Amino acid sequence: MDADSDVALDILITNVVCVFRTRCHLNLRKIALEGANVIYKRDVGFLLTEERNIYTFIYTYSNGKIVWYMAERENSKRVGSRHLNCKIHYKGFQVIFTDFKVVNVLAVCNMPFEIRLPEFTKNNRPHASYEPELHPAVCYRIKSLRATLQIFSTGSITVTGPNVKAVATAVEQIYPFVFESRKEIL
Amino acid sequence: MPGGRRCPDCDSTELVEDSHYSQSQLVCSDCGCVITEGVLTTTFADEGHLREVTYSQSTGENEQVSRSQQRGLRRVRDLCRVLQLPSTFEDTAVAYYQQAYRHSGIRAARLQKKEVLVGCCVLITCRQHNWPLTMGTICTLIYADLDVFSGTYMQIVKLLGLDVPSLCLADLVKTYCSSFRLFQASPSVPAKYVEDKEKMLSRTLQLVELANETWLVTGRHPLPVITAATFLAWQSLQPSGRLTCSLARFCKLANVDLPYPATSRLQELLAVLLQMAEQLAWLQILKLNKRSVVKHIGDLLQHRHTLVRKAFRDGTAEMEACEREVQGQRQGEEEVGDSSLDLPVRKRPASPALLLPPCMLKPPKQLRPTPPVCTVTGDENISDSEIEQYLRTPEEVRDFQRAQAAGQAAKSLPNP
């Protein structure tokens, strides 16, 4: 195996966080009373809705801002957001679906080899942080992409970034570094 | 000397500007005479407007050391003395505490966080000087929760932009093993359990290196592995009298806490040693188990590099070997064809185990079942027997038209 040879890695997007606005004030109490699968956190000021069929959590704020956690694809996230907008509309609010933005993407990628974490940390010191007493993975931050990678000894890498392109670029950038620190029996 | 002025009392030119309780004064450094005084309130940009500024916004807060900061600095020094650290460590830890305290997020934090900050500064200093000190020890000394400690530690490292090296395993082994009370006979430790410190240290180090090579240390807390390795090293040095002693009893004798994962680390280490023992010819006939393999740890460690290479194989090498095997089999089948010769089937030697992290060797968790793929598209042909189910009766047609009309009427009404 060579670092320069073509390797096809599957990057699986597991979670997406997006934000959109309804451009109107929302009466959280009314939505909580009339909605289903809803938890109203009055002390903190948001409404938590769990959509089990699409594995999502929705945080609704009274200023019209809605934060959506967890879906498998960006497209379904947009569709689901419109769907939620319609639900609020049918409760009597004049909502407008605006400012949809994907804020965070979480993806998982598996390398075809195991990684020596202490050696990797030593070679990539300022960017990599390894504390086995706290967490079993190395935390690698790429400031230019605003991406964070959690690298496990099994070769599994969890990437968090602002969008899918940043996540893919982060995996491309990290591959040569983890390849240098791969496990081999000498 | 500002403006070429002279002191009216002693005619000295040595005049200095001094801020006395946020009031700027021009003072003669020879006789102490106050020549001019400024405004009592502290202003930033426009002194002419004489605006009053609160203490928290003034620079006075940065110039003076608050009571909580003084208490924190004292705690840092006390902690360094308790751990018997050199004086240079103390100065570095104090400097880090002062640097961290300048940030507003730390200054306004709760007392609990400031207390934890003391431990973080000491830990960072020890790490930078390769002094083996674990987070567990610090948390025990400052009575802090590990979760709070970890959050504050990561925040401080990021805030101050520090480069903290990883904990050195070899140094930690030496320090941790030295704390075991097994090197001198005492009323609680029988004579047969007393062991030479140097021998035990060297064997423990070899066992920890072996555990590191075989994926038992990476990503895991180091102390349970070191405890298991120390126990095995101690047992193997005099197995005849010590095989009956359990890990829990060993820790009690040594006056050391038994970490919870130490038992599983011990089992994993014994499994690795058993794999290695199968490669030694004089041990194959003995049919060793996890108890009897302890007697031969010395021989196994002496040849550990060769035995690990023979006993285990790479995960990636395995994949390439499998592909080559499959290709070879296909070629072999093509060559043999319809041969009527019955060649004896050769018995393949037992293949070495995969050298992988233990979590990969265990069976994977069952994933969420995927929903069955629906192949119905809606364009299939309808058979003659079922066609009647798709035709509406006149009553159904009437009802449908009524429902449509009602829906359209509801849409045309204005929204509430």
Side-chain angles (χ1 to χ4, degrees):
Chain A
M1 192 188 286
D2 188 14
D4 296 328
S5 61
D6 290 337
V7 174
L9 291 172
D10 291 330
I11 303 175
L12 181 70
I13 295 173
T14 53
N15 289 6
V16 178
V17 180
C18 69
V19 166
F20 67 94
R21 290 191 178 271
T22 57
R23 298 281 292 273
C24 73
H25 180 265
L26 299 175
N27 187 344
L28 298 182
R29 190 169 178 274
K30 188 184 175 192
I31 299 172
L33 288 171
E34 295 176 11
N37 296 328
V38 158
I39 300 169
Y40 180 28
K41 297 264 189 189
R42 205 175 74 162
D43 49 343
V44 192
F46 65 79
L47 204 70
L48 171 61
T49 312
E50 190 180 338
E51 293 274 342
R52 286 174 186 267
N53 51 351
I54 45 176
Y55 306 103
T56 59
F57 290 89
I58 304 145
Y59 289 79
T60 311
Y61 295 87
S62 58
N63 60 356
K65 187 172 177 182
I66 297 180
V67 183
W68 186 294
Y69 287 84
M70 203 170 166
E72 287 175 8
R73 284 168 198 265
E74 285 187 50
N75 291 337
S76 69
K77 185 66 91 174
R78 199 176 186 110
V79 166
S81 304
R82 286 189 180 275
H83 174 67
L84 173 66
N85 224 27
C86 293
K87 271 192 178 176
I88 300 173
H89 173 73
Y90 284 125
K91 287 182 177 46
F93 295 97
Q94 298 295 323
V95 295
I96 303 168
F97 181 76
T98 58
D99 299 335
F100 178 86
K101 188 183 169 191
V102 173
V103 170
N104 201 21
V105 171
L106 179 74
V108 174
C109 174
N110 276 311
M111 294 290 157
F113 45 79
E114 295 79 46
I115 302 162
R116 296 173 190 261
L117 298 184
E119 192 182 314
F120 176 83
T121 313
K122 204 173 162 185
N123 296 339
N124 300 279
R125 183 66 72 74
H127 305 289
S129 159
Y130 177 47
E131 296 289 342
E133 296 176 77
L134 300 178
H135 193 61
V138 170
C139 179
Y140 189 95
R141 292 182 196 272
I142 304 177
K143 275 189 182 172
S144 55
L145 300 171
R146 288 184 294 133
T148 305
L149 297 98
Q150 300 271 343
I151 302 162
F152 292 85
S153 59
T154 56
S156 172
I157 298 180
T158 305
V159 191
T160 309
N163 49 55
V164 176
K165 192 179 171 190
V167 161
T169 313
V171 173
E172 278 175 27
Q173 278 191 14
I174 203 68
Y175 184 80
F177 299 124
V178 296
F179 187 79
E180 279 172 11
S181 308
R182 71 191 184 285
K183 177 72 173 179
E184 275 177 352
I185 301 180
L186 299 169
Chain B
M1 183 196 66
R5 293 173 71 171
R6 287 180 174 271
C7 174
D9 276 354
C10 63
D11 211 28
S12 165
T13 53
E14 298 296 321
L15 304 176
V16 290
E17 277 188 10
D18 182 32
S19 56
H20 181 66
Y21 292 120
S22 69
Q23 183 185 23
S24 61
Q25 294 171 341
L26 192 62
V27 180
C28 173
S29 59
D30 288 337
C31 65
C33 171
V34 177
I35 297 155
T36 58
E37 282 181 349
V39 194
L40 201 59
T41 55
T42 310
T43 58
F44 287 128
D46 39 2
E47 186 120 10
H49 293 291
L50 299 178
R51 273 189 315 188
E52 283 186 7
V53 177
T54 57
Y55 180 73
S56 60
Q57 288 175 333
S58 71
T59 54
E61 199 180 28
N62 292 334
E63 286 164 13
Q64 292 177 17
V65 177
S66 65
R67 222 178 285 174
S68 71
Q69 189 179 358
Q70 284 174 13
R71 189 168 52 239
L73 291 170
R74 269 202 304 275
R75 289 282 291 141
V76 168
R77 291 197 175 93
D78 291 343
L79 194 59
C80 291
R81 276 172 217 151
V82 164
L83 292 167
Q84 296 178 353
L85 300 176
S87 57
T88 47
F89 286 32
E90 200 174 306
D91 299 334
T92 314
V94 161
Y96 282 147
Y97 190 88
Q98 284 171 333
Q99 270 181 45
Y101 215 85
R102 278 188 213 123
H103 290 87
S104 56
I106 298 294
R107 209 164 40 233
R110 289 185 181 180
L111 283 175
Q112 186 197 21
K113 194 163 182 178
K114 286 176 182 167
E115 182 67 24
V116 168
L117 178 66
V118 165
C120 293
C121 294
V122 173
L123 179 71
I124 290 169
T125 309
C126 290
R127 283 276 190 93
Q128 288 182 335
H129 290 88
N130 288 326
W131 189 277
L133 185 66
T134 59
M135 289 187 185
T137 309
I138 292 275
C139 287
T140 312
L141 285 171
I142 61 175
Y143 303 105
D145 187 28
L146 188 62
D147 294 331
V148 176
F149 186 88
S150 65
T152 311
Y153 173 77
M154 303 304 286
Q155 186 188 3
I156 288 300
V157 169
K158 195 176 168 185
L159 212 56
L160 301 181
L162 296 171
D163 179 22
V164 184
S166 304
L167 195 58
C168 177
L169 209 57
D171 293 337
L172 184 63
V173 168
K174 285 174 195 164
T175 311
Y176 190 58
C177 284
S178 304
S179 65
F180 283 64
R181 292 190 189 170
L182 288 168
F183 309 120
Q184 280 175 6
S186 66
S188 57
V189 179
K192 62 176 181 174
Y193 289 161
V194 174
E195 189 52 69
D196 178 48
K197 188 177 175 182
E198 292 306 319
K199 280 188 196 171
M200 198 157 122
L201 258 179
S202 69
R203 192 157 279 195
T204 308
L205 271 170
Q206 288 178 341
L207 279 167
V208 169
E209 277 173 21
L210 174 67
N212 199 13
E213 275 176 41
T214 51
W215 288 112
L216 301 184
V217 172
T218 306
R220 287 160 159 191
H221 202 291
L223 277 185
V225 180
I226 296 172
T227 309
T230 312
F231 173 64
L232 279 179
W234 174 79
Q235 268 193 332
S236 65
L237 286 168
Q238 279 187 40
S240 54
R242 295 174 185 175
L243 274 182
T244 51
C245 180
S246 67
L247 178 61
R249 192 164 170 237
F250 167 77
C251 291
K252 206 172 171 184
L253 283 168
N255 201 19
V256 159
D257 290 330
L258 172 62
Y260 170 68
T263 318
S264 35
R265 298 296 163 266
L266 178 66
Q267 297 303 317
E268 285 167 0
L269 204 47
L270 285 170
V272 165
L273 289 166
L274 271 174
Q275 285 281 339
M276 288 165 63
E278 284 173 12
Q279 305 300 319
L280 278 178
W282 64 90
L283 294 180
Q284 279 174 3
I285 51 173
L286 291 177
K287 290 185 187 173
L288 297 171
N289 58 20
K290 284 186 177 178
R291 206 175 162 93
S292 51
V293 75
V294 175
K295 296 179 202 167
H296 306 283
I297 282 180
D299 291 337
L300 295 172
L301 289 176
Q302 209 173 354
H303 310 284
R304 68 176 185 276
H305 296 297
T306 316
L307 291 175
V308 165
R309 243 183 289 126
K310 280 189 177 177
F312 299 100
R313 57 195 168 156
D314 263 333
T316 48
E318 164 68 8
M319 273 165 46
E320 290 166 7
C322 276
E323 286 173 10
R324 269 185 250 125
E325 218 178 274
V326 166
Q327 283 175 5
Q329 274 178 5
R330 281 190 198 144
Q331 282 175 3
E333 281 171 8
E334 286 170 4
E335 282 170 15
V336 169
D338 294 323
S339 171
S340 58
L341 290 170
D342 291 327
L343 294 169
V345 176
R346 281 190 203 166
K347 197 175 175 184
R348 284 165 59 187
S351 53
L354 278 172
L355 184 59
L356 290 171
C359 59
M360 291 178 82
L361 295 173
K362 290 174 191 167
K365 286 181 191 173
Q366 285 185 359
L367 299 170
R368 196 185 297 146
T370 52
V373 176
C374 189
T375 53
V376 174
T377 57
D379 295 330
E380 288 85 2
N381 290 329
I382 307 167
S383 64
D384 291 340
S385 57
E386 292 176 352
I387 198 111
E388 288 180 6
Q389 295 174 21
Y390 293 90
L391 295 173
R392 287 195 180 117
T393 60
E395 291 84 15
E396 282 174 339
V397 169
R398 234 181 292 128
D399 289 341
F400 180 69
Q401 281 171 350
R402 269 188 222 149
Q404 254 191 332
Q408 277 171 7
K411 271 186 196 171
S412 61
L413 283 173
N415 284 329

